[in-house]
């Protein structure tokens, strides 16, 4: 072959299920290159014969023009003598033992498929499962790699001639789109209602839409699980859903029909609008438009709404505009309170029977359960803050700045995720949930098995939280014994800080000032930590400052009933007899006496330095919340109250290694007595914390020379506090790192555990 060269290329990253091979095919054809391309379980392999010039152009385009959903992390090339290929072809996929490569997350319906969905001339017209190489289900239907139809839950649907033709044509948008299907050959929907099964698609859609419009509740099978749906503008319907689901106040997600509906119900800026439309379609927490007629019951005590746009063709059709059909539907996880989102038709029928009165079903099995992701946009920036990482994001990897052993980090107890790591990647799982019940534990173990199989990671070390009662810790310790591999306990707040360091790619030898503020974490001294200022590296930490501990009378009960924490503070100040304070009004003498006994005896009264509990106490003191029914409720409502024009601040007393809130509580009570509005009290508390953080960081910078501050822990989901602390620290010359890839809450813990465990192993 005169003047020809040969080249072998191995591409790694998210390169399967994203139209990568057709892209390579067209590129090679256009440059008159011969050879082949194929998927392997380690990535994509390409073999080329051609002129040197064409090969060079190929490499440039490979990097620069890859399809939008592809994420190339590595390209390896090997020069070869030409093989004398006569054409360019796409070869059958190849499984490579032990190799692993990232799996694409699910992708929202693309503009082309959307157009076909509503084009009467197209054969995909009104087909609720239309998809192509640029969109559709991925992670939730993949059983194993390489990503080919027989290894997905689409295996049971044989393609019709028309679909097979598109699937096999390298120039078609559906070339090797594994979930490709049409009304002839693919999954179908049906409605189960009042003992009847309606198989006719249009009739089923019509009936379920009318059902919702009439104020009823429907279960809708979606992409990563079931939703419970009702009209968000119907207060009775929302109340009924809350009662049946035993979910009194926690905000419910709302699906809005389209951009016009977003504008009508929300005050979203351009970046927020773009985020709502992006291919990951998260639930975004945005300001509520005061003009919106969405029932306040959707988010009691909130000025925000958690909204998303339809992300599958089915959702798009469900929410199609029509007279009498609401443009805002509650779409909350289809589960009973605190249990995992349901994915199986029969389980949904049984478990949601007391909640939903109609079931919109389909017959495409869900392999991986995956809740909707919840995000918000950091004020005045274009940065996403993950609150819950699920559909659209998982199982995308996070790049590590080190080479990791094959590792499993078990995560925490609440808002659990686990994390697998290997080589340069960490793979935090989708949101699993609170591990407090048997069903969630089952889902946790199933998800771990699925991740390990998909990613070809067999852990050779385990990381877990020091809390002996976390089910994740027990799982890790049991597994360490079974597999005979090391298990490394990682302190909760150290894990929080390490997670933030890791997602920012800080190198192995880094040290930071870490502000780990959250509700609860097991300390190394037997107390419950949560207001922690650490000087931390990946290997270890020094607890430089912490909130002075206070008794938590009744333990978990005090978490649900913040007035108990308020009473503990009043006791410290000798004010426990001031029963007219809002925190104690209406609480019976018996209950107060019981708490006082606990405070005296210390029975079932752990000590805590928790920042979350301090927010609770202040919220209770001003009468905002004596009891809560979801984690962080008091703090969220306190933030909502903040009067942004107030500049005064409460003062914390700082000693050698502690900061004491006694003076803050005393000032709150004095302000209450003086009739200061609650909004000002809430603001002075927030301002006081900002001043405290600034002072502590300045002290530590003098002591250690460190300028990098990482903020982690659930308290940093408070945007008011986060914004003012960032402004203050940056003005003082600090570099501030916050979470953008994993949540600041305990959903981020597993990544931090993996980071700490790796560095402990190689220490
Ligand atoms: Zn598409
Ligand atoms: Zn078909
Ligand atoms: Fe935490």
């Amino acid at each position: 072959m005169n003047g020809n060269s040969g080249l072998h290329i191995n591409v790694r990253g998210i390169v399967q299920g994203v139209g990568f091979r057709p892209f390579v095919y067209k590129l090679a054809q256009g440059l008159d290159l011969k050879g082949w391309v194929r998927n392997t379980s380690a990535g994509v392999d390409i073999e080329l014969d051609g002129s040197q010039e064409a090969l060079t152009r190929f490499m440039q385009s490979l990097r620069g023009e890859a399809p939008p959903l592809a994420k190339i992390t590595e390209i390896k090339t090997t020069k070869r003598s030409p093989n004398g290929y006569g054409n360019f072809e796409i070869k059958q996929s190849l499984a490579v033992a032990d190799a692993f490569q990232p799996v694409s997350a699910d992708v929202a319906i693309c503009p082309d498929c959307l157009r076909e969905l509503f084009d009467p001339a197209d054969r995909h017209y009104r087909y609720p499962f239309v998809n192509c190489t640029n969109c559709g289900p991925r992670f939730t239907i993949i059983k194993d790699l390489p990503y080919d139809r027989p290894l997905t839950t689409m295996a049971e649907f044989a393609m019709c001639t028309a679909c097979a033709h598109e699937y096999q044509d390298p120039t078609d948008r559906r070339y090797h789109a594994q979930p490709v299907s049409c009304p002839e050959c693919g999954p179908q929907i049906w409605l189960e209602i009042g003992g009847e099964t309606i198989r006719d698609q249009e009739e089923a859609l019509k009936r379920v839409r009318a059902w919702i419009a009439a104020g009823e509740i429907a279960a809708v099978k979606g992409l990563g699980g079931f939703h419970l749906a009702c009209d968000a503008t119907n207060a009775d319907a929302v109340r009924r859903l809350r009662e049946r689901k035993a979910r009194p106040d926690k905000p419910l997600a709302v699906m809005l029909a389209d951009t016009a509906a977003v504008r009508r119900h929300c005050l979203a800026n351009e970046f927020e609008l773009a985020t709502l439309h992006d291919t990951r379609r998260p639930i975004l927490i945005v300001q509520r438009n005061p003009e919106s007629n969405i029932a306040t019951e959707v988010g009691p005590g909130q000025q925000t709404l958690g909204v998303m746009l339809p992300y599958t063709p089915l959702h798009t059709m469900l929410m199609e505009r029509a007279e009498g059909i609401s443009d805002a539907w509650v779409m909350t996880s289809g589960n009973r309170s605190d249990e995992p989102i349901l994915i199986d038709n029969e389980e949904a029928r049984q478990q949601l029977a007391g909640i939903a009165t109609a079931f919109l079903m389909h017959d495409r099995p869900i392999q991986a359960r995956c809740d909707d992701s919840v995000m918000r946009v950091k004020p005045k920036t274009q940065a996403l803050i993950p609150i819950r990482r699920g559909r659209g994001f998982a199982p995308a990897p996070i790049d590590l700045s080190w080479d990791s052993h094959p590792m499993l980090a078990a995560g925490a107890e609440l808002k659990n995720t686990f994390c697998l790591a290997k080589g340069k990647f960490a793979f935090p799982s989708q949101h699993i949930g609170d591990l407090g019940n048997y069903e969630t534990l089952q889902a946790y173990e199933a998800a771990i098995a699925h991740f390990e199989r998909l990613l070809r990671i067999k852990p050779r070390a385990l990381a877990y939280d020091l809390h002996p009662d976390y089910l994740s810790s027990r799982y890790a310790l049991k597994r360490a014994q079974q597999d005979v591999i090391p298990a490394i306990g990682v302190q909760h707040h150290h894990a929080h800080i390490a997670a933030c360091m890791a997602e920012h790619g800080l190198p192995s030898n880094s040290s930071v000032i870490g502000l780990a503020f959250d509700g609860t974490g097991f300390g190394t001294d037997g107390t419950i930590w949560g207001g922690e200022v650490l000087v931390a590296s990946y290997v270890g930490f020094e607890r430089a400052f912490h909130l002075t501990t206070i008794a938590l009378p009744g333990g978990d009960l005090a978490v649900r009933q913040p007035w108990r924490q308020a009473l503990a503070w009043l006791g410290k100040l000798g004010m426990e007899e001031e029963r007219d304070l809002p925190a104690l009004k209406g609480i019976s003498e018996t209950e107060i006496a019981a708490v006082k006994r606990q405070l005296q005896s210390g029975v079932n009264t752990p000590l805590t330095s928790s920042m979350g509990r301090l927010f609770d106490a202040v919220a209770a003191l001003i009468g905002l919340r004596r009891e809560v029914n979801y984690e962080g409720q008091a703090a969220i409502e306190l933030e909502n109250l903040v009067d942004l024009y107030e500049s005064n601040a409460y003062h914390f007393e700082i000693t050698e290694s502690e900061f004491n809130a006694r003076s803050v509580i005393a000032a709150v009570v004095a302000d209450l007595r003086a009739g200061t509005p609650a909004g000002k009290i809430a603001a002075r508390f927030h301002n006081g914390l900002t001043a405290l953080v600034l002072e502590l960081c300045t002290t530590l910078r003098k002591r250690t020379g460190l300028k990098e501050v990482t903020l982690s822990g659930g308290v940093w989901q408070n945007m008011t506090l986060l914004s003012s602390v960032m402004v203050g620290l940056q003005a003082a010359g600090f570099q501030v790192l916050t979470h953008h890839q994993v949540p600041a809450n305990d959903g981020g813990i597993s990544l931090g555990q993996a980071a700490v465990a790796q560095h402990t192993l190689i220490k």
Side-chain angles (χ1 to χ4, degrees):
M1 311 224 57
N2 40 353
N4 264 9
S5 313
L7 195 61
H8 183 86
I9 307 165
N10 174 251
V11 190
R12 306 197 57 167
I14 295 177
V15 287
Q16 294 186 11
V18 293
F20 198 76
R21 284 172 306 168
F23 156 71
V24 168
Y25 179 89
K26 280 179 216 166
L27 194 58
Q29 293 280 20
L31 293 166
D32 198 28
L33 291 163
K34 314 291 184 200
W36 50 260
V37 56
R38 83 172 157 210
N39 279 351
T40 74
S41 46
V44 167
D45 281 350
I46 306 166
E47 183 105 7
L48 297 171
D49 279 1
S51 73
Q52 194 51 56
E53 194 202 334
L55 289 172
T56 307
R57 298 242 320 262
F58 181 90
M59 291 308 296
Q60 285 165 351
S61 301
L62 190 67
R63 287 176 190 281
E65 295 160 25
L69 298 176
K71 191 183 166 219
I72 296 176
T73 53
E74 193 182 340
I75 298 180
K76 272 192 203 147
T77 56
T78 319
K79 283 193 175 144
R80 294 212 170 150
S81 49
N83 274 300
Y85 295 117
N87 63 351
F88 191 88
E89 61 172 344
I90 297 179
K91 292 227 278 191
Q92 197 118 74
S93 300
L94 184 77
V96 178
D98 287 336
F100 81 118
Q101 72 119 50
V103 175
S104 168
D106 298 296
V107 182
I109 183 170
C110 76
D112 288 330
C113 287
L114 196 60
R115 188 174 30 72
E116 291 171 348
L117 181 64
F118 293 116
D119 175 4
D122 192 275
R123 66 185 193 88
H124 303 93
Y125 177 59
R126 295 194 67 78
Y127 181 54
F129 302 94
V130 57
N131 67 82
C132 72
T133 321
N134 301 319
C135 75
R138 297 288 186 275
F139 173 58
T140 54
I141 61 161
I142 298 177
K143 293 179 174 172
D144 203 348
L145 290 182
Y147 177 55
D148 268 332
R149 192 164 175 117
L151 295 179
T152 72
T153 63
M154 285 299 293
E156 60 197 74
F157 299 95
M159 274 181 261
C160 68
T161 323
C163 283
H165 184 79
E166 290 179 346
Y167 181 86
Q168 283 153 12
D169 177 359
T171 63
D172 194 275
R173 200 174 92 246
R174 295 202 164 82
Y175 176 74
H176 276 228
Q178 306 306 342
V180 81
S181 57
C182 75
E184 289 299 309
C185 65
Q188 307 287 333
I189 62 166
W190 68 91
L191 181 68
E192 297 173 13
I193 188 168
E196 224 188 314
T197 298
I198 298 166
R199 293 268 164 200
D200 181 81
Q201 174 186 301
E202 294 306 319
E203 183 61 18
L205 285 170
K206 204 174 108 192
R207 286 281 292 275
V208 75
R209 277 154 61 86
W211 200 241
I212 300 260
E216 294 289 340
I217 298 163
V220 176
K221 187 178 184 183
L223 193 56
F226 276 82
H227 277 133
L228 287 163
C230 75
D231 179 357
T233 63
N234 182 332
D236 285 338
V238 177
R239 262 197 299 269
R240 218 163 22 241
L241 176 57
R242 285 196 174 283
E243 272 162 31
R244 292 183 190 166
K245 221 189 146 183
R247 178 163 156 151
D249 291 320
K250 195 175 177 188
L252 299 165
V254 173
M255 187 175 273
L256 298 173
D258 49 29
T259 310
V262 175
R263 293 198 194 278
R264 194 160 92 80
H265 296 291
C266 312
L267 303 175
N269 61 36
E270 286 310 307
F271 180 72
E272 287 169 330
L273 269 178
T275 303
L276 281 168
H277 278 97
D278 94 18
T279 57
R280 301 169 299 191
R281 287 295 143 98
I283 295 169
L284 199 64
I285 299 175
V286 292
Q287 284 302 305
R288 181 195 170 98
N289 185 342
E291 311 280 292
S292 165
N293 67 335
I294 289 177
T296 51
E297 283 81 355
V298 164
Q302 313 272 335
Q303 292 158 8
T304 53
L305 284 170
V307 300
M308 63 181 149
L309 288 168
Y311 52 86
T312 67
L314 178 57
H315 293 130
T316 312
M317 293 165 82
L318 266 177
M319 300 215 58
E320 208 179 342
R321 293 281 187 170
E323 186 66 32
I325 301 295
S326 171
D327 62 354
W329 291 18
V330 167
M331 280 279 192
T332 186
S333 303
N335 53 9
R336 293 188 299 205
S337 204
D338 292 335
E339 288 180 9
I341 186 168
L342 291 158
I343 55 175
D344 178 77
N345 291 358
E346 190 45 40
E347 274 179 15
R349 274 182 203 110
Q350 285 170 15
Q351 302 206 23
L352 302 179
I355 307 176
T357 48
F359 289 78
L360 188 67
M361 299 293 207
H362 66 69
D363 54 0
R364 186 177 69 200
I366 298 171
Q367 176 68 29
R369 75 182 77 231
C370 201
D371 284 275
D372 296 317
S373 293
V374 182
M375 304 275 146
R376 62 191 308 168
V377 173
K378 195 194 261 180
K380 301 188 187 87
T381 69
Q382 300 209 335
L384 278 185
I385 296 182
I387 308 289
R388 180 170 85 186
R389 192 174 171 276
R391 177 190 48 79
F393 291 81
I398 287 167
D399 299 341
L400 299 174
S401 69
W402 59 85
D403 236 312
S404 180
H405 284 67
M407 162 110 59
L408 168 66
E413 176 92 342
L414 298 177
K415 303 180 168 66
N416 175 279
T417 65
F418 59 85
C419 180
L420 283 174
K422 183 179 175 184
K424 290 283 182 196
F425 298 111
F427 298 89
S429 73
Q430 73 272 37
H431 168 81
I432 303 290
D434 298 348
L435 293 185
N437 60 63
Y438 175 75
E439 287 76 12
T440 317
L441 187 64
Q442 293 285 97
Y444 172 72
E445 295 189 8
I448 289 176
H450 185 229
F451 251 62
E452 288 182 8
R453 187 169 66 242
L454 272 192
L455 299 169
R456 304 288 196 276
I457 299 177
K458 189 167 165 37
R460 281 198 265 124
L462 292 157
Y464 65 97
D465 191 280
L466 291 179
H467 199 305
D469 295 332
Y470 279 6
L471 294 179
S472 54
S473 304
R474 291 193 197 162
Y475 170 85
L477 290 170
K478 193 178 78 190
R479 181 127 183 230
Q481 224 167 25
Q482 276 168 6
D483 296 2
V484 201
I485 51 177
I488 294 128
V490 181
Q491 200 281 323
H492 188 95
H493 302 93
H494 186 205
H496 268 306
I497 298 304
C500 194
M501 295 169 70
E503 69 154 79
H504 283 278
L506 296 195
S508 290
N509 58 0
S510 307
S511 289
V512 298
I513 298 168
L515 305 177
F517 291 175
D518 70 355
T520 299
F522 198 78
T524 54
D525 60 358
T527 69
I528 299 171
W529 292 10
E532 311 305 314
V533 180
L534 311 179
V535 173
S537 67
Y538 288 117
V539 190
F541 67 92
E542 176 212 338
R543 193 188 189 198
F545 291 97
H546 62 89
L547 185 61
T548 302
T549 56
I550 177 130
L552 186 63
D556 282 348
L557 189 58
V559 178
R560 291 194 298 278
Q561 300 185 341
W563 67 266
R564 291 168 187 268
Q565 185 72 104
L567 183 57
W569 276 111
L570 291 173
K572 277 222 167 178
L573 294 164
M575 294 176 172
E576 66 265 58
E577 298 311 320
E578 303 194 18
R579 300 296 164 77
D580 61 323
L581 286 171
L584 302 180
K585 240 189 251 171
I587 308 285
S588 75
E589 278 307 314
T590 337
E591 280 185 289
I592 291 183
V595 171
K596 281 164 76 176
R597 271 198 307 279
Q598 281 177 323
L599 288 169
Q600 267 161 17
S601 66
V603 173
N604 191 19
T605 299
L607 289 174
T608 185
S609 57
S610 163
M611 187 60 81
R613 296 294 86 76
L614 182 61
F615 272 87
D616 286 354
V618 172
L621 275 174
I622 64 174
L624 181 63
R625 272 281 152 198
R626 282 186 290 261
E627 301 198 10
V628 298
N629 55 60
Y630 66 91
E631 203 207 2
Q633 183 175 11
I636 290 168
E637 293 180 6
L638 188 65
E639 180 195 355
N640 270 334
L641 271 188
V642 169
D643 176 350
L644 294 171
Y645 296 100
E646 173 63 27
S647 57
N648 288 327
Y650 297 139
H651 184 71
F652 286 81
E653 300 160 329
I654 302 176
T655 63
E656 189 59 27
S657 63
E658 298 187 7
F659 45 99
N660 199 322
R662 202 171 40 194
S663 50
V664 172
I665 300 291
V668 170
V669 175
D671 271 348
L672 275 172
R673 294 284 182 215
T676 309
K680 283 194 190 299
I681 296 178
R684 289 172 187 179
F685 175 62
H686 280 74
N687 296 344
L689 273 172
T690 304
L692 168 77
V693 161
L694 204 59
E695 190 172 342
L696 295 176
C697 289
T698 307
T699 304
L700 284 178
R701 179 166 58 185
K702 274 191 211 132
R703 199 191 287 174
T704 63
L706 295 171
K707 287 192 207 61
E708 273 168 331
V709 180
T710 56
L711 309 179
S712 190
V715 167
W716 297 110
Q717 287 171 186
N718 180 323
M719 291 299 127
T720 308
L721 186 66
L722 180 72
S723 300
S724 65
V725 161
M726 287 205 63
V727 168
L729 285 174
Q730 283 166 346
F734 289 96
Q735 195 199 338
V736 189
L737 303 178
T738 62
H739 283 285
H740 298 299
Q741 299 206 60
V742 295
N745 62 45
D746 285 4
I749 286 272
S750 59
L751 174 64
Q753 290 174 341
V756 171
Q758 171 63 24
H759 289 85
T760 306
L761 281 173
I762 58 168
K763 190 169 63 171

